[in-house]
Amino acid sequence: MASSSGHAAAGGERRDLLDLLMARLAAMLGDDALDRDRAAATGRPAASDTSGTSGIPDSEGHTLPAGPTDARTLLESIVFACLAEGIDDERIVSLMHMLGWPGSFVCCTIAGTPGHHDMWACAASIRGALPPHKDGTPQDCLIGEHDGHVVALVRVDDGASPDQVAAIAKECFDPAEAICLGPTRQNAPGAARAIRAVVNALFALQACTREVPQPMRTEDLLPERALMGDEDAREELIGSIYESLKGDNPNDPTLLTVSVFLDSGASLDATARVLSVHPNTVRYRLKRATEICGWDATDTREAYVLSTAITLGRLRDAGMWRDNGDRQA
């Protein structure tokens, strides 16, 4: 695992790249970029519009299939690429504002394989299916490509809901391939995490030996994503599971009971012997644990989720990570 200095160096390189991309965008578009942005957003051509067809680099440096290139499309590709790389500072907020996104918003992500591998047609179908804002303007949506998957970041606090976006995903992606529904997050930092969540979940699916729902949710692969270094997954495992089981009372036996049960091969009798309690007491505590965190230690898959969450939580408590999520040297 890279050291914190390595993370800092990589982050600096990405931010230098962002500065370069912004300068390049300004040079390409000129002073009338905003007018062309608005025209593209409303579907009405601007007098100075010079859109054509060209390849656009994605977040991994690949080139997307030929498609329309105008000011808005170029700007969206840069914003998406930066968010996918975890760049979410004030410059990205400013660029998103140029695209019509407010400074504060709620969003979610969907990802899947485009039918016939036509990224542009898939993107157009997603945009066309999204309900407009309450004032009738087109819904805020950023769409990009990653490893052959189309990823859409959609605003869901003005005209659209996560359930509507999930329904759109089922219609716009190839149903024969994995479709992933991402988490609901807030603002640019949350948008970056939501994008990485679906990207990491689809990648982790390649190593998963069990069946997952179709469409699946990023929560279905929480342990795998956390092992990949997904900060959002790690925080969800620690915050929603470990902290819930730990509780505020240091004398609460719930976390200890779940931990011993998992370490004892899911044996009620073995757990009862270690804790010097009756097996029925263990059974009651496990039921209470499920009510608290939503995960059942008696289910094989959910036991793995719980075990991962407890391990990560104990590593955090031992000082493994700094507040910014980097591993301690």
Side-chain angles (χ1 to χ4, degrees), residues 171-257:
E171 300 296 327
C172 296
F173 294 123
D174 184 348
E177 301 291 340
I179 298 173
C180 187
L181 310 178
T184 300
R185 296 290 183 261
Q186 292 184 323
N187 305 332
R193 290 189 171 198
I195 290 173
R196 294 199 302 277
V198 289
V199 168
N200 288 341
L202 287 170
F203 184 85
L205 183 62
Q206 301 176 53
C208 187
T209 57
R210 69 183 187 89
E211 286 191 18
V212 296
Q214 173 73 330
M216 69 175 184
R217 295 185 178 274
T218 52
E219 292 85 350
D220 293 324
L221 292 167
L222 273 175
E224 291 84 358
R225 287 170 48 212
L227 290 172
M228 291 172 61
D230 188 322
E231 186 179 344
D232 195 70
R234 187 175 67 202
E235 290 188 359
E236 186 165 349
L237 286 167
I238 294 175
S240 299
I241 300 178
Y242 176 73
E243 291 291 350
S244 297
L245 293 175
K246 186 178 180 182
D248 298 325
N249 182 359
N251 296 319
D252 189 329
T254 305
L255 175 60
L256 176 62
T257 302

Side-chain angles (χ1 to χ4, degrees), residues 244-261 271 275 277 281-282 284-286 288-289 292 310 314:
S244 297
L245 293 175
K246 186 178 180 182
D248 298 325
N249 182 359
N251 296 319
D252 189 329
T254 305
L255 175 60
L256 176 62
T257 302
V258 172
S259 179
V260 172
F261 179 76
T271 304
L275 298 177
V277 297
T281 302
V282 175
Y284 167 78
R285 290 179 182 176
L286 293 176
R288 182 170 178 271
I292 291 173
I310 292 172
R314 287 173 173 165

Side-chain angles (χ1 to χ4, degrees), residues 101-102 104-107 133-134 139-140 154-162 187:
W101 290 68
S104 178
F105 58 87
V106 180
C107 61
H133 287 300
K134 295 175 182 177
Q139 186 58 251
D140 294 322
V154 184
R155 187 177 164 199
V156 291
D157 58 352
D158 185 11
S161 69
N187 305 332

Side-chain angles (χ1 to χ4, degrees), residues 4 8 14 77 88 122 171 178 241 283:
S4 58
R14 289 197 296 267
S77 69
D88 53 29
C122 181
E171 300 296 327
I241 300 178
R283 187 177 288 107

